[in-house]
Amino acid sequence: HPVTRHGVSAFSSSVTGEVLAATRAGVSLGAVTAREVGLAVEAVHAVATGQTGDMVAADALDLVDVEVLFRSGEEIGRRLAEDGLVCLGEVGIGNTTVAAALACALLEMDVDESVGLGAAADAAIVRRKRAVVAAALKRARATHGKRLCQPEVALAAVGGPEIAFLAGLTLAAAGARAPVVIDGLVTSLAALVAVRIEPAVQSALVAGQRSRELAHGRVLAELGLEPLLQLRLRAGEGVGACLAAQMVLAAVRSRQATATVEEQCVETDRR
């Protein structure tokens, strides 16, 4: 994310590409966790084709890119839904700053309520994150006015390509009646965007975990979801979603293998 130029992350923006490469190689934390619980992995490089801004001086995306990313997410979401349950994960250096700004735009939260530590941040980084989010929201509200509460406009103003992509994926997968397990704050915001567009999506969502990000609890409450896990993870990459999916799949298998009361009665009569 271009917003990293403002010193809001403890890591270089190049780490995004490194984690993506490790995921494709099957050795990132997210990929390994998925494999351990029996899930297949698909890594997608969601990137805008047009000019991207840093949120502070200019919109993060233009509306055309939001639409393109959304549609590409829908295409993959429909395909993944054919295999059943879908788990979401993400990686994008700087995206907890983006997510905090987007949460403020969609839920009218205060900056101090939304900006969290992210990964490995110190007090100075958090102070910069708060200042950046405040400046980005001030500019976005001056530019877009009341339209900022619209999901597509908010994504363009203070969002990111991975969030637009995952929102489209969530909408399509849910529309195909596949359960969608969300992970941390970023994937939860993608789900919130999808629900704002089509409220029926909510019925397909499973909250895998609640992370340590400040805004995450508020977003989950807005979605009407209770997390299956509360491990205070900062990993991202879908780790919490995969761990929660293991619980969901185990419960489904147990239910499928359990005899009904009627079947138990028949077996007793035979004896």
Side-chain angles (χ1 to χ4, degrees):
H1 291 272
V3 75
T4 55
R5 67 175 61 122
H6 296 287
V8 296
S9 176
F11 299 99
S12 165
S13 58
S14 64
V15 173
T16 299
E18 293 169 3
V19 176
L20 177 63
T23 300
R24 287 174 170 161
V27 295
S28 69
L29 182 60
V32 171
T33 304
R35 185 168 62 247
E36 288 297 319
V37 302
L39 299 172
V41 178
E42 178 145 356
V44 177
H45 187 192
V47 61
T49 57
Q51 186 174 0
T52 55
D54 66 358
M55 302 196 309
V56 177
D59 283 352
L61 303 165
D62 62 44
L63 285 170
V64 173
D65 270 326
V66 169
E67 180 70 15
V68 170
L69 288 158
F70 198 86
R71 297 308 167 203
S72 63
E74 285 186 313
E75 181 181 346
I76 291 181
R78 282 189 290 269
R79 174 166 56 79
L80 294 180
E82 295 175 1
D83 293 325
L85 180 144
V86 176
C87 298
L88 304 185
E90 46 67 35
V91 60
I93 298 302
N95 68 7
T96 58
T97 301
V98 172
L102 187 57
C104 288
L106 293 176
L107 299 176
E108 298 184 351
M109 297 179 64
D110 292 333
V111 171
D112 288 346
E113 294 179 311
S114 66
V115 175
L117 283 172
D122 58 21
I125 290 176
V126 173
R127 284 194 296 271
R128 287 195 292 271
K129 287 176 71 171
R130 288 180 182 142
V132 165
V133 171
L137 290 168
K138 182 179 179 179
R139 180 205 58 79
R141 286 165 179 156
T143 302
H144 300 286
K146 293 182 178 180
R147 294 178 63 239
L148 188 61
C149 64
Q150 298 173 10
E152 296 92 339
V153 175
L155 277 174
V158 294
E162 76 274 53
I163 305 176
F165 175 86
L166 289 172
L169 191 154
T170 301
L171 185 64
R177 303 180 65 83
V180 179
V181 185
I182 55 180
D183 186 38
L185 176 59
V186 174
T187 60
S188 298
L189 281 165
L192 179 59
V193 168
V195 169
R196 289 282 175 90
I197 294 170
E198 174 48 71
V201 167
Q202 193 274 345
S203 64
L205 300 177
V206 177
Q209 61 133 341
R210 177 176 175 177
S211 70
R212 294 182 68 181
E213 287 302 301
L214 283 183
H216 197 190
R218 174 74 180 275
V219 174
L220 291 179
E222 181 72 13
L223 289 168
L225 301 175
E226 294 187 14
L228 296 182
L229 301 171
Q230 298 207 42
L231 302 178
R232 298 172 66 80
L233 295 174
R234 291 195 188 283
E237 302 180 45
V239 171
C242 291
L243 293 174
Q246 186 177 32
M247 297 173 58
V248 173
L249 293 171
V252 170
R253 288 191 290 266
S254 297
R255 183 65 187 88
Q256 290 173 333
T258 301
T260 65
V261 173
E262 182 178 350
E263 289 170 337
Q264 293 176 22
C265 290
V266 170
E267 183 63 25
T268 300
D269 291 342
R270 287 175 180 168
R271 292 175 182 174

